[in-house]
Amino acid sequence: MITTTPDSKEVAQAPINLAFTSEQKIAALREMLRIRRFEQQALKFYNQGKMGGFLHLYIGQESVAVAAASLMNGHDEMITAYRDHGHALAVGMSMEECMAELFGKATGCSKGKGGSMHFFAPDKHYWGGHGIVAGQVPLGLGLAFALKYKQIPGCALCFLGDGAVNQGVVAESLNLASLWDLPIVFIIENNGYSMGTSLERSSAIDNCLAERAAGFNMKWSVVNGSHFYELRATLHTSMEEARTTLRPVLLEIKTYRYYGHSIADANHKKYRTAEEIEQYKENHDPISCWQHQLLEEKILTESMLESIDGAAKEEAAASVIFAEASPWPEPESIFTDIYYEVDQASEAGRTGVHFFSDSR
Amino acid sequence: MITTTPDSKEVAQAPINLAFTSEQKIAALREMLRIRRFEQQALKFYNQGKMGGFLHLYIGQESVAVAAASLMNGHDEMITAYRDHGHALAVGMSMEECMAELFGKATGCSKGKGGSMHFFAPDKHYWGGHGIVAGQVPLGLGLAFALKYKQIPGCALCFLGDGAVNQGVVAESLNLASLWDLPIVFIIENNGYSMGTSLERSSAIDNCLAERAAGFNMKWSVVNGSHFYELRATLHTSMEEARTTLRPVLLEIKTYRYYGHSIADANHKKYRTAEEIEQYKENHDPISCWQHQLLEEKILTESMLESIDGAAKEEAAASVIFAEASPWPEPESIFTDIYYEVDQASEAGRTGVHFFSDSR
Amino acid sequence: MPLITYRKALNEAFSEELTRDDSVFLMGEEVAEYNGAYKVTEGLWERFGSKRVIDTPISEAAFLGLGVGAAMMGLRPVVELMFWSFAYVGFDQIINNAGCVRYMSGGLINVPMVIRGPANGGTSVGATHSHTPENLIANTPGLKVVCPATPYDAKGLMIASIRDNDTVCFMENTLLYGNTGEVPEGSYTIPLGVADIKRLGTDISFIAYGRAVLTALEAAEILQAEHGISAEVIDLRSIRPLDEETLLTSVAKTHRVLLIDENKPFCGVSAQIAAMIAEKAFDELDAPILRVTALDAPAIYSMPLEKLQLPTPERIISKALTLF
Amino acid sequence: MPLITYRKALNEAFSEELTRDDSVFLMGEEVAEYNGAYKVTEGLWERFGSKRVIDTPISEAAFLGLGVGAAMMGLRPVVELMFWSFAYVGFDQIINNAGCVRYMSGGLINVPMVIRGPANGGTSVGATHSHTPENLIANTPGLKVVCPATPYDAKGLMIASIRDNDTVCFMENTLLYGNTGEVPEGSYTIPLGVADIKRLGTDISFIAYGRAVLTALEAAEILQAEHGISAEVIDLRSIRPLDEETLLTSVAKTHRVLLIDENKPFCGVSAQIAAMIAEKAFDELDAPILRVTALDAPAIYSMPLEKLQLPTPERIISKALTLF
Ligand SMILES: Cc1ncc(C[n+]2csc(CCOP(=O)(O)OP(=O)(O)O)c2C)c(N)n1
Ligand SMILES: Cc1ncc(C[n+]2csc(CCOP(=O)(O)OP(=O)(O)O)c2C)c(N)n1
Ligand SMILES: [Mg+2]
Ligand SMILES: [Mg+2]
């Protein structure tokens, strides 16, 4: 479990945090609240049967995506797993396109083709949303490779879960990143569980997961996800390291999810105690912690908070209305977005048979 | 590169080496010589076009398999990759069945179905011989799992190359072995190269490959493969650790191969210098080193050596005669050894169509 | 006979076999303490303990390979893939190790393992989670593939698969787990390689497996009622070994064939069966061999559209009608 | 036109494209300093340097995934698998990432990557090294599959594949690398999805691809000379997209079909083509659709036996004769 010490004074004084304007600090809070309110709406309508498949909520972990996104320099690229709503909103995707995607509508960010696990916004340097555990990790490597190849001064932010760390491709990727000096920050969001399996039951470690990086000659550190300043400072240092020295870094962020693995996970109070969940909510909730910090800094007032939160709630509610009012994708769209050449009706796309069933 | 210091006195006095009788010491030398003479014959006839596919020679690495086999307790299980002739002979497979396999004959250990990369002898606790790099590693895990499951007081010896270490399944296997307390010793035969790629070009490491085990809370050490006593002592300790505490160990043995990756590798003097090869042969050849040791211990005389070596050469030559005289497998055998039930003509094997081409 | 679910039928098969044979163990992600992501292994960890029912980290390649190694040593692993879609991260272990080690060892080794889990689309879990690799796996001589459609078949085929001395890839279906049917208590086996005629008919042969059997049966009823066409519905049950005889006998009777599967069409299972019939029963055919498969696109998320992707009674009926 | 090898034809394609387009790079095990395990990339590292021609560790999943990620960002990776058999350790990256990411992103992403390497049996490298996964890959909508038979086709198809904006899985053949043929200097493309009639004929259609085309041509000559039967030999060249029209036109002319491939039979490429013909050209057929495939066993090591496993002119001829 993470410690209860608050964000240290020191880390708040890190240059990257000193340069963090009051406006930006409020914006960070707003992002976290938007994520939470968005997901609470999603949960409500998922439970009403308006969505299909899985719904993996990010609630409890909001600080991580928001801190990372707050540091992206316009050249950095982000990729994550299926627990991807927070990252999507943090990089600037709209609630409407995201909610519509959950509803399976044509107006969704993936035109209703991807669902909860597959939000993408390449124009915002956001490469998804991937359902196969750790499958996104070598893609992140490819983003970093392309940045270096094109001599773009950015880094790749590659998120993965604590359970994902035990997929072999992660070790392969750590090796390649270090061997080839690729500008990538691997970010383990360690929420303590992979589905119903606690870290102790999934991972043989010495002290922490991140330490595995040492075997690949890679820097690593462990950060408390409830400490926004610490998060930002460490992320910033790591991202700068990656951008300027092209050396990869592995970070492990201690965090927690409040809901089950997905909403279908009816077991989530069996593999962990109600007290454990409550304890975290009480003492470590990233939103409360940051709110508290901003109130203390007198940047935030209770009434500002209310209005920010109110706006977030409204926006979330409006996104549902948008999603509900949106049309379903046309049946014809089943056969688009498979081959680029076919979609373009290019000569390559018009040559030969590409599909082998009836079209309906 | 490995150091040139000879096997230390201390390690020769390790209990397991003190218990090593003169006869056994000579036997170890004999095994190494048998492997080398066997492979030299194989090389000759491979070059004459008598064999197909690849031929990966173990020459230069003989001490490793022989030391390990000398410690097997009748319950231990061994598995390795495609560079498998040495291990096969060391566990007691006959030169005849091995040579016949290389010739693709029905009398081969795998009836001519496996070839050089696929020697097996389950009755000798030897589980191959596997061609996909690192593919054998989780099988080794399975051997250890079965030992523990059946409460058999043995351990699994799982060999892999330095290049294989970068396959993801190896990291997965280290994690599982440590997490589940499986009695397995992973043995990296680090000969410095994976095909034409030196260790530095394939692996990001801090000090050594074996150290990666630390991230999985697993013991590890590095051993000089030319030092037979050291090898045995470390292997013994690790195997005992695995057998008695069920804790896995990762060993890295520094060794070297004299020939190309396979005999088809015409490049092998391009990616390393002739001096490097010569230097090793001169100072580190595991057979010379062990001979030297036994001569010094006065267990061995020059004339004994000559007769042992002569016998090995004769045996190897005889195995070629055997192989050449052996029949090819019958064409019908193409369709046996695919399904156990079909081979047994059991009811399951006789029900439904199992094969979907003409039988010829 | 008790009426139980497909899920429960599988669960009974496991508990029968865990009880009968000490060398049987279950392994996979969340199969033990969590009772299985789809509750197929419910109660087994409690009953048989951590030695026999084992939770794994998310390391499919390693635990599939572990299963192969343990099976080589004579254990009988039943390894769950939470979805068969995840087989692709461990594909090498299935094809090269489970599939080839017997051959390459000249028959010294066999691998009595079951690899199991759901393999189906239709639940809005997206393209990466909706693969149906029965064709990919059955391509490999050395592997067996089973796809049961009913609770009765699920239990009997599972027990037979666990007792089989080769590797059996057992493909279930999350959409079928809740279906109920009559299932005997206790142990019984259904041999692999025996198709089941789920409905007798005279005018056309519907050949299907897995959930598509139920869709075919539905279509057959409508076809009878509305068009007076009598469709025979054959359930392959096992894809490899394959009961060609039953198929050919039916074709010789009806002279018309419609193949139905939820596999993607290109080189899907129905392509193999069509090719087989076009070779071995050509002279019996009065009409082209037609197929109704999953639409040839990745699985879409959007709920109403995904329904269109899998074979529907409507698509079956309209295809069938073109054959008369 | 210069007479060059299949290997050299590919090499020329790479150097043309590396020269033309900065975003093209080659990557794989031993492709750079070693010049390629089969010397297909000979000289390219020296000429284009370490940025463009890159040696990798043995981590197929990671470098295939890296290729997908880099392609998403607009680069054009040409990733070598030393053998296509090794694709199975990176299968998830091919099917789920290269194959599905465009769809799941609603078309926001495309993956202009080539994955290439040899995919063939016949060289005594054993079961695990002799896979021919063209059918497994072509099963996935979103991926393209190309299997050239001649040096001319290899170069033109490779250039087209590199310029294609989707992922193309390009399957070569170690037994063909040394074959020579006339190949134009400089750049030219052969479109994917266009079959090539390698021999005109009137009595029977031989449909093949890859090395089986050469075997079919050999068989056709013998059939003509010894039996007066005129076989048309069609080379698919690309498996997906597929030129169905050329196939159907040929069948409409000859009314007899024999499919030849080195794929394993169960759900192999020839099964798909047979099914397609049995559906779309049924009324044109005067005889059953037959197939000559690899024998349905893992690749055997023993040299003379492995020769029997792949289609031979003899097997083709004797099958063909049964159709008359
Ligand atoms: C290869 C693969 N195996 C299994 C799964 C099923 N699965 C989805 S998420 C998950 C748990 C992952 O846990 P973690 O990496 O800690 O991420 P978290 O859910 O905690 O964010 C599992 C087992 C999958 N999607 N892909
Ligand atoms: C998955 C896979 N990738 C690539 C290969 C081709 N290959 C065979 S051996 C080898 C080098 C392995 O080197 P190492 O592990 O150091 O073992 P060594 O040959 O030195 O004994 C390669 C690349 C393979 N057989 N399997
Ligand atoms: Mg987690
Ligand atoms: Mg090596």
Side-chain angles (χ1 to χ4, degrees):
Chain A
M1 267 313 329
I2 60 173
T3 62
T4 51
T5 39
D7 224 347
S8 76
K9 288 270 141 59
E10 236 168 64
V11 98
Q13 305 296 316
I16 191 69
N17 286 330
L18 287 179
F20 201 35
T21 66
S22 301
E23 251 172 38
Q24 290 170 327
K25 290 179 187 177
I26 298 287
L29 178 65
R30 180 182 302 115
E31 287 313 319
M32 289 195 245
L33 280 164
R34 287 178 70 242
I35 293 169
R36 187 160 298 184
R37 299 314 176 201
F38 173 85
E39 287 201 327
Q40 285 170 339
Q41 284 290 316
L43 172 59
K44 180 168 151 196
F45 289 89
Y46 183 88
N47 283 335
Q48 288 180 21
K50 299 280 187 175
M51 300 168 194
F54 303 126
L55 187 74
H56 306 94
L57 297 186
Y58 195 59
I59 291 179
Q61 308 186 196
E62 296 92 338
S63 54
V64 190
V66 170
S70 77
L71 293 160
M72 284 171 77
N73 71 358
H75 297 302
D76 301 325
E77 310 288 343
M78 185 188 280
I79 191 166
T80 188
Y82 46 84
R83 198 178 296 285
D84 64 344
H85 311 152
H87 306 76
L89 295 178
V91 298
M93 289 177 73
S94 77
M95 283 197 195
E96 291 190 341
E97 63 185 325
C98 291
M99 191 63 82
E101 187 62 31
L102 296 180
F103 276 74
K105 295 301 181 71
T107 52
C109 50
S110 300
K111 303 181 187 162
K113 293 181 175 177
S116 162
M117 305 195 283
H118 306 112
F119 289 3
F120 295 84
D123 62 323
K124 300 184 175 63
H125 304 273
Y126 182 56
W127 298 95
H130 294 269
I132 298 294
V133 167
Q136 79 281 9
V137 175
L139 302 190
L141 208 60
L143 302 176
F145 179 92
L147 288 172
K148 180 176 176 181
Y149 191 94
K150 299 179 178 184
Q151 299 181 287
I152 294 173
C155 67
L157 299 171
C158 180
F159 291 85
L160 64 157
D162 49 293
V165 175
N166 297 312
Q167 276 287 22
V169 76
V170 175
E172 295 184 9
S173 299
L174 295 179
N175 185 51
L176 279 183
S178 180
L179 188 68
W180 289 349
D181 292 319
L182 297 182
I184 184 167
V185 182
F186 297 98
I187 304 171
I188 304 169
E189 297 196 60
N190 179 358
N191 57 17
Y193 297 88
S194 48
M195 290 193 67
T197 304
S198 64
L199 185 67
E200 304 76 64
R201 294 207 301 124
S202 74
S203 305
I205 54 173
D206 196 4
N207 297 295
C208 63
L209 281 169
E211 208 178 351
R212 288 193 186 162
F216 300 93
N217 189 28
M218 189 188 299
K219 286 196 188 163
W220 58 273
S221 63
V222 181
V223 190
N224 182 331
S226 306
H227 295 174
F228 200 74
Y229 282 135
E230 184 188 337
L231 247 180
R232 264 181 57 90
T234 314
L235 276 165
H236 171 70
T237 315
S238 307
M239 289 164 77
E240 269 298 295
E241 169 111 7
R243 290 177 193 132
T244 58
T245 69
L246 301 176
R247 290 297 300 162
V249 181
L250 177 63
L251 298 181
E252 176 177 348
I253 320 271
K254 301 271 193 179
T255 181
Y256 201 76
R257 61 168 158 77
Y258 293 174
Y259 289 90
H261 164 70
S262 72
I263 297 313
D265 170 7
N267 270 358
H268 83 106
K269 286 179 183 158
K270 289 196 189 144
Y271 54 79
R272 54 188 193 175
T273 61
E275 293 76 55
E276 180 180 306
I277 305 175
E278 275 320 302
Q279 199 278 112
Y280 187 89
K281 285 190 188 176
E282 276 299 305
N283 302 313
H284 303 285
D285 182 81
I287 299 184
S288 311
C289 290
W290 187 234
Q291 260 174 221
H292 188 77
Q293 175 74 34
L294 298 189
L295 288 167
E296 272 209 343
E297 289 184 27
K298 307 219 188 306
I299 292 171
L300 183 73
T301 65
E302 289 290 351
S303 80
M304 276 167 76
L305 177 59
E306 222 164 274
S307 93
I308 292 169
D309 195 25
K313 284 178 179 161
E314 264 173 45
E315 190 187 355
S319 75
V320 169
I321 293 170
F322 172 81
E324 296 227 79
S326 291
W328 295 110
E330 292 298 323
E332 290 66 38
S333 78
I334 287 177
F335 286 100
T336 58
D337 304 319
I338 300 172
Y339 293 103
Y340 177 95
E341 301 289 358
V342 173
D343 295 336
Q344 301 299 310
S346 68
E347 196 171 330
R350 285 179 282 112
T351 305
V353 176
H354 285 75
F355 303 111
F356 297 87
S357 63
D358 297 343
S359 56
R360 278 289 186 98
Chain B
M1 263 320 325
I2 59 172
T3 63
T4 51
T5 41
D7 224 346
S8 75
K9 290 268 140 61
E10 235 168 64
V11 99
Q13 306 296 319
I16 189 70
N17 286 327
L18 288 179
F20 201 32
T21 66
S22 302
E23 250 172 39
Q24 291 170 326
K25 291 178 187 178
I26 298 286
L29 178 65
R30 180 181 301 115
E31 286 314 317
M32 289 194 241
L33 281 164
R34 286 179 71 243
I35 293 169
R36 186 160 297 185
R37 298 316 175 200
F38 173 85
E39 287 202 326
Q40 286 169 338
Q41 285 290 315
L43 173 58
K44 182 170 149 194
F45 288 89
Y46 183 87
N47 284 335
Q48 288 180 19
K50 299 281 187 175
M51 299 167 193
F54 302 127
L55 187 74
H56 306 93
L57 297 186
Y58 195 60
I59 291 180
Q61 307 185 195
E62 296 92 338
S63 53
V64 189
V66 170
S70 77
L71 293 160
M72 284 171 76
N73 71 358
H75 296 302
D76 303 325
E77 309 288 342
M78 185 188 281
I79 190 165
T80 188
Y82 45 86
R83 199 178 296 287
D84 64 343
H85 312 152
H87 307 74
L89 295 177
V91 298
M93 289 176 73
S94 78
M95 283 198 196
E96 291 190 341
E97 62 183 327
C98 292
M99 191 63 82
E101 187 62 30
L102 296 179
F103 276 74
K105 296 301 181 73
T107 52
C109 50
S110 299
K111 303 183 188 162
K113 293 180 176 180
S116 161
M117 304 195 284
H118 306 112
F119 289 1
F120 295 85
D123 62 323
K124 300 184 173 64
H125 304 273
Y126 183 57
W127 299 94
H130 295 270
I132 298 295
V133 167
Q136 78 282 9
V137 175
L139 301 191
L141 208 60
L143 302 177
F145 179 92
L147 287 171
K148 180 175 175 180
Y149 192 95
K150 298 180 180 181
Q151 300 180 286
I152 294 172
C155 68
L157 300 171
C158 180
F159 291 84
L160 64 156
D162 48 295
V165 175
N166 297 311
Q167 277 286 24
V169 76
V170 175
E172 294 184 9
S173 299
L174 296 179
N175 185 52
L176 279 183
S178 181
L179 188 69
W180 289 348
D181 292 318
L182 297 182
I184 183 167
V185 183
F186 297 99
I187 303 171
I188 304 170
E189 298 196 61
N190 178 359
N191 57 17
Y193 296 89
S194 48
M195 290 194 68
T197 304
S198 64
L199 185 66
E200 302 79 61
R201 296 206 302 122
S202 75
S203 305
I205 54 173
D206 196 5
N207 298 295
C208 63
L209 281 169
E211 210 178 348
R212 288 192 185 162
F216 300 94
N217 189 28
M218 190 188 298
K219 285 198 190 164
W220 57 274
S221 61
V222 181
V223 190
N224 183 331
S226 307
H227 294 176
F228 200 77
Y229 280 135
E230 184 188 336
L231 248 180
R232 267 182 53 93
T234 314
L235 276 165
H236 171 70
T237 313
S238 307
M239 290 164 75
E240 269 299 294
E241 169 110 7
R243 290 177 193 130
T244 58
T245 70
L246 300 178
R247 290 297 300 161
V249 181
L250 177 63
L251 297 181
E252 175 178 348
I253 320 273
K254 302 270 194 180
T255 181
Y256 202 75
R257 63 167 155 78
Y258 294 172
Y259 289 91
H261 166 69
S262 73
I263 297 313
D265 171 6
N267 271 357
H268 83 107
K269 285 180 183 158
K270 289 194 188 146
Y271 54 78
R272 53 187 193 174
T273 61
E275 294 76 57
E276 181 180 305
I277 305 175
E278 274 321 302
Q279 200 277 116
Y280 187 89
K281 284 192 188 175
E282 274 300 305
N283 301 313
H284 303 286
D285 182 82
I287 298 184
S288 310
C289 291
W290 187 235
Q291 261 174 220
H292 188 76
Q293 175 74 35
L294 297 190
L295 287 168
E296 272 209 342
E297 289 185 25
K298 306 217 189 307
I299 292 170
L300 183 72
T301 65
E302 290 289 350
S303 79
M304 276 167 77
L305 176 59
E306 222 165 274
S307 91
I308 292 170
D309 195 25
K313 284 177 179 163
E314 263 172 48
E315 190 187 355
S319 75
V320 169
I321 293 170
F322 172 81
E324 296 226 79
S326 290
W328 296 109
E330 292 297 324
E332 290 66 39
S333 78
I334 287 175
F335 286 100
T336 57
D337 302 321
I338 301 172
Y339 293 103
Y340 177 94
E341 300 290 358
V342 173
D343 295 336
Q344 303 299 312
S346 67
E347 193 168 336
R350 286 179 283 111
T351 305
V353 176
H354 285 76
F355 303 111
F356 297 87
S357 63
D358 296 344
S359 56
R360 278 288 186 101
Chain C
M1 269 194 284
L3 211 66
I4 63 170
T5 61
Y6 186 102
R7 166 187 289 116
K8 178 71 180 143
L10 290 168
N11 187 283
E12 285 186 2
F14 301 138
S15 75
E16 292 288 341
E17 291 306 286
L18 283 164
T19 306
R20 193 187 60 86
D21 182 350
D22 274 351
S23 63
V24 173
F25 66 95
L26 309 189
M27 168 171 276
E29 292 157 13
E30 312 293 348
V31 298
E33 301 192 19
Y34 196 90
N35 281 317
Y38 289 95
K39 303 284 165 278
V40 176
T41 52
E42 184 144 34
L44 299 175
W45 173 67
E46 242 172 51
R47 200 162 136 215
F48 294 96
S50 295
K51 179 180 177 180
R52 311 286 304 282
V53 184
I54 305 164
D55 280 327
T56 66
I58 309 169
S59 306
E60 284 85 357
F63 69 72
L64 284 166
L66 186 154
V68 177
M72 295 188 326
M73 294 269 288
L75 299 185
R76 304 186 89 83
V78 179
V79 178
E80 172 174 313
L81 290 164
M82 194 182 285
F83 287 77
W84 259 100
S85 289
F86 308 154
Y88 297 175
V89 300
F91 208 62
D92 173 62
Q93 293 297 324
I94 300 175
I95 304 296
N96 279 319
N97 286 347
C100 298
V101 75
R102 177 168 181 75
Y103 202 67
M104 297 189 305
S105 69
L108 293 174
I109 294 174
N110 64 308
V111 183
M113 173 165 65
V114 173
I115 309 175
R116 57 159 287 272
N120 60 284
T123 61
S124 293
V125 290
T128 62
H129 282 52
S130 304
H131 294 295
T132 54
E134 57 270 20
N135 54 333
L136 310 195
I137 305 275
N139 179 239
T140 296
L143 297 175
K144 298 177 176 175
V145 178
V146 172
C147 300
T150 67
Y152 175 82
D153 290 348
K155 180 170 173 181
L157 287 166
M158 180 57 84
I159 294 180
S161 297
I162 294 173
R163 296 183 190 174
D164 196 284
N165 288 297
D166 296 302
T167 299
V168 180
C169 296
F170 197 100
M171 308 205 180
E172 306 158 14
N173 189 312
T174 55
L175 290 171
L176 298 181
Y177 282 144
N179 285 6
T180 52
E182 292 201 334
V183 176
E185 288 178 79
S187 219
Y188 65 97
T189 60
I190 296 175
L192 277 57
V194 180
D196 186 41
I197 302 178
K198 288 274 193 292
R199 181 185 197 278
L200 280 166
T202 51
D203 303 334
I204 184 169
S205 301
F206 286 176
I207 301 174
Y209 60 90
R211 181 166 166 274
V213 172
L214 309 186
T215 321
L217 283 168
E218 237 183 283
E221 290 309 320
I222 300 171
L223 213 53
Q224 184 79 63
E226 297 183 5
H227 303 276
I229 294 172
S230 158
E232 179 144 302
V233 178
I234 301 180
D235 176 0
L236 299 179
R237 294 202 292 205
S238 98
I239 309 297
R240 185 169 189 148
L242 182 70
D243 182 356
E244 293 191 352
E245 204 182 310
T246 297
L247 306 184
L248 294 170
T249 305
S250 178
V251 174
K253 175 168 72 171
T254 65
H255 309 296
R256 283 180 171 74
V257 192
L258 181 64
L259 301 154
I260 304 123
D261 61 355
E262 299 191 349
N263 221 192
K264 294 268 178 284
F266 199 93
C267 296
V269 168
S270 57
Q272 172 64 27
I273 313 265
M276 187 274 286
I277 292 171
E279 173 180 344
K280 300 189 180 171
F282 182 75
D283 293 332
E284 297 290 354
L285 290 171
D286 287 348
I289 305 172
L290 297 187
R291 302 160 66 192
V292 174
T293 67
L295 294 190
D296 198 14
I300 200 166
Y301 166 69
S302 188
M303 299 69 87
L305 269 72
E306 201 194 16
K307 293 219 166 60
L308 303 177
Q309 286 190 320
L310 297 185
T312 56
E314 297 70 46
R315 276 169 64 205
I316 296 172
I317 291 163
S318 73
K319 266 272 163 85
L321 290 176
T322 68
L323 293 176
F324 291 91
Chain D
M1 267 195 287
L3 211 67
I4 62 170
T5 60
Y6 185 104
R7 167 188 288 118
K8 178 70 180 143
L10 290 168
N11 188 283
E12 286 186 1
F14 301 139
S15 73
E16 293 288 340
E17 292 307 286
L18 283 164
T19 305
R20 193 186 61 83
D21 183 349
D22 274 352
S23 63
V24 173
F25 67 93
L26 308 189
M27 169 172 275
E29 291 157 13
E30 311 293 347
V31 298
E33 301 192 19
Y34 196 89
N35 282 316
Y38 288 96
K39 303 288 165 275
V40 176
T41 52
E42 183 144 36
L44 299 175
W45 174 67
E46 244 173 47
R47 202 162 135 214
F48 294 95
S50 294
K51 179 180 176 181
R52 312 286 304 283
V53 185
I54 305 164
D55 280 326
T56 66
I58 309 169
S59 305
E60 283 85 359
F63 68 73
L64 283 166
L66 186 155
V68 176
M72 297 189 324
M73 292 270 288
L75 299 185
R76 304 186 88 82
V78 178
V79 178
E80 173 174 313
L81 291 164
M82 193 182 285
F83 287 77
W84 259 101
S85 289
F86 308 154
Y88 296 175
V89 299
F91 207 64
D92 173 62
Q93 293 297 324
I94 300 175
I95 303 297
N96 280 320
N97 285 346
C100 297
V101 75
R102 177 170 181 75
Y103 201 68
M104 296 188 307
S105 68
L108 293 173
I109 295 174
N110 64 308
V111 183
M113 172 165 65
V114 173
I115 309 174
R116 55 159 289 273
N120 59 283
T123 62
S124 293
V125 290
T128 62
H129 281 54
S130 304
H131 295 295
T132 54
E134 56 270 19
N135 55 333
L136 308 197
I137 305 275
N139 179 240
T140 296
L143 298 175
K144 297 176 176 175
V145 179
V146 172
C147 299
T150 67
Y152 176 81
D153 290 348
K155 181 170 171 181
L157 287 166
M158 179 58 82
I159 294 180
S161 297
I162 294 174
R163 295 184 189 173
D164 198 284
N165 288 298
D166 295 303
T167 298
V168 180
C169 295
F170 197 99
M171 309 207 178
E172 307 158 14
N173 188 312
T174 56
L175 289 171
L176 299 181
Y177 281 145
N179 285 7
T180 53
E182 293 201 332
V183 176
E185 288 180 79
S187 218
Y188 65 96
T189 59
I190 295 174
L192 276 59
V194 179
D196 186 40
I197 302 179
K198 287 275 194 290
R199 183 185 196 278
L200 281 166
T202 52
D203 302 335
I204 184 170
S205 301
F206 286 177
I207 299 174
Y209 59 91
R211 182 167 166 270
V213 172
L214 311 185
T215 321
L217 284 168
E218 238 185 282
E221 291 308 320
I222 301 172
L223 214 53
Q224 183 78 64
E226 296 184 6
H227 303 278
I229 294 172
S230 160
E232 179 144 301
V233 178
I234 301 180
D235 176 1
L236 300 178
R237 296 202 292 205
S238 97
I239 308 297
R240 185 170 190 147
L242 182 71
D243 182 356
E244 293 192 352
E245 205 182 308
T246 297
L247 305 184
L248 293 171
T249 306
S250 179
V251 173
K253 176 168 73 172
T254 64
H255 310 295
R256 283 181 169 74
V257 193
L258 182 63
L259 300 155
I260 304 123
D261 64 354
E262 298 190 349
N263 221 189
K264 294 266 177 287
F266 198 94
C267 296
V269 168
S270 57
Q272 171 64 27
I273 313 264
M276 188 273 288
I277 293 172
E279 172 179 345
K280 299 188 181 172
F282 182 74
D283 292 333
E284 297 290 353
L285 290 171
D286 287 348
I289 304 172
L290 298 188
R291 302 161 66 193
V292 175
T293 68
L295 294 190
D296 198 13
I300 199 166
Y301 165 69
S302 188
M303 298 69 86
L305 269 73
E306 201 195 15
K307 293 219 167 60
L308 303 177
Q309 286 190 321
L310 297 185
T312 56
E314 297 70 48
R315 276 170 62 205
I316 295 173
I317 292 163
S318 74
K319 267 271 162 88
L321 290 176
T322 67
L323 293 176
F324 291 91

